[in-house]
Amino acid sequence: MNIVEFFELSSGKWFSQRTSHHLDFKPSEAGKSDLVIEMVDLADPAVVKLCQQCRIDPALALCGARAKWNGTMEPGGKKYAGSTLLVPVADPENPNQGQLLSESGAAGKTPSLGRYVVGDDDAVTLITEDKTLYAEERLWFASPNLRLRTSVLKRSSGFSLASFCSEIRMGVSKPAETAPPKA
Amino acid sequence: MNIVEFFELSSGKWFSQRTSHHLDFKPSEAGKSDLVIEMVDLADPAVVKLCQQCRIDPALALCGARAKWNGTMEPGGKKYAGSTLLVPVADPENPNQGQLLSESGAAGKTPSLGRYVVGDDDAVTLITEDKTLYAEERLWFASPNLRLRTSVLKRSSGFSLASFCSEIRMGVSKPAETAPPKA
């Protein structure tokens, strides 16, 4: 699998269950959201603008993908919603890894420049890092209709959060995949 | 990393936070437990007996490890506790994978024979399978003192459960590991 195929397989509408474990023993949080992922044309002005903001030649962009979510977090019933545009740009010497450009579209937010790595096991690792925060997310498909994600957040004081999402494709009319996933 | 080193790094006392997402949209469950993992001598009668029950030459066992847990699951506050003895036996042609013998010690329970695979990324995948159930668990270290686990359960009707554990080593006197984990 390459990163473009990964985003293509991710396209669609998902029901996402999220759990965050605070590693300082605070109570964990649970969220449920609708998640929609769609491919965005490379000629889309938003893709071109994001590349330009990150000083990347838009011709190097491999694809564009937009994720939108809308959900509720417990305890408290807090609503959360947002969207992110993602654009991968491969390293010239290694197409299985590269830069990942992203922007939330929120006013005042600057684009973010992270890294992606596609593993031999077809899992995708996304890394964003600045002076105070290191975030690593791992995404993989247990089947075409079940996507899993884990993430860890690390601050200067050490790891602070570990999260898990299980995402079920919605509106699938064919039966569940029955062949075991490869180990 | 090899499977013996993985169990050695896992040895110790951990605080484990567990979340299970039911994929049929039932409410998720959250557990907290103490988890103790200790190496067991290859000459220990329990290791030898487990090998013999699985018709494996005890001389082929790579190591023994026992995990014991004691916790509470929410909602409901249900207590859960148990222990498992694990014994890996490498494939002759590939030491990074092999059979994983396990037994819970509970009366009437027969030993279980699964598979382990140590990945290039040092994650360990454990697979147990019978006619009606396929269970795949992935375990890895975010740092020496933070161990993560995901698992999926699949029945003939499709995937039924996705779980996540974050495990923090207890009683660590030195500061948290600050170097970012490798991607």
Side-chain angles (χ1 to χ4, degrees), chain A residues 15 17 19 21-23 25 120 127 134 138 140 142-143 146 148 150 152 154 159 164 166 168 177 179 181 183, chain B residues 15 17 19 21-23 25 120 127 134 138 140 142-143 146 148 150 152 154 159 164 166 168 177 179 181 183:
Chain A
F15 172 72
Q17 296 187 76
T19 300
H21 295 168
H22 292 276
L23 302 180
F25 309 109
D120 293 338
I127 297 157
Y134 175 90
R138 184 176 191 273
W140 71 103
S143 82
L146 175 60
L148 301 174
T150 58
V152 286
K154 190 177 212 175
F159 284 103
F164 177 58
S166 58
I168 305 161
E177 183 74 27
Chain B
F15 173 71
Q17 296 187 74
T19 299
H21 294 169
H22 291 276
L23 302 180
F25 309 108
D120 293 337
I127 297 157
Y134 175 91
R138 184 177 190 272
W140 72 103
S143 82
L146 176 59
L148 302 174
T150 59
V152 287
K154 189 176 213 175
F159 284 102
F164 177 57
S166 59
I168 305 161
E177 184 74 27

Side-chain angles (χ1 to χ4, degrees), chain A residues 69-84:
Chain A
W69 57 93
N70 191 337
T72 310
M73 186 71 79
E74 301 294 346
K78 187 182 172 188
K79 304 275 184 192
Y80 64 104
S83 79
T84 302

Side-chain angles (χ1 to χ4, degrees), chain A residues 59-119:
Chain A
L60 298 175
L62 296 177
C63 69
R66 192 184 305 276
K68 293 183 194 175
W69 57 93
N70 191 337
T72 310
M73 186 71 79
E74 301 294 346
K78 187 182 172 188
K79 304 275 184 192
Y80 64 104
S83 79
T84 302
L85 174 64
L86 297 162
V87 174
V89 176
D91 288 347
E93 72 281 10
N94 186 349
N96 285 336
Q97 49 184 281
Q99 294 177 294
L100 186 70
L101 290 50
S102 66
E103 61 93 22
S104 68
K109 285 265 189 177
T110 54
S112 164
L113 199 57
R115 302 271 314 156
Y116 75 86
V117 180
V118 183

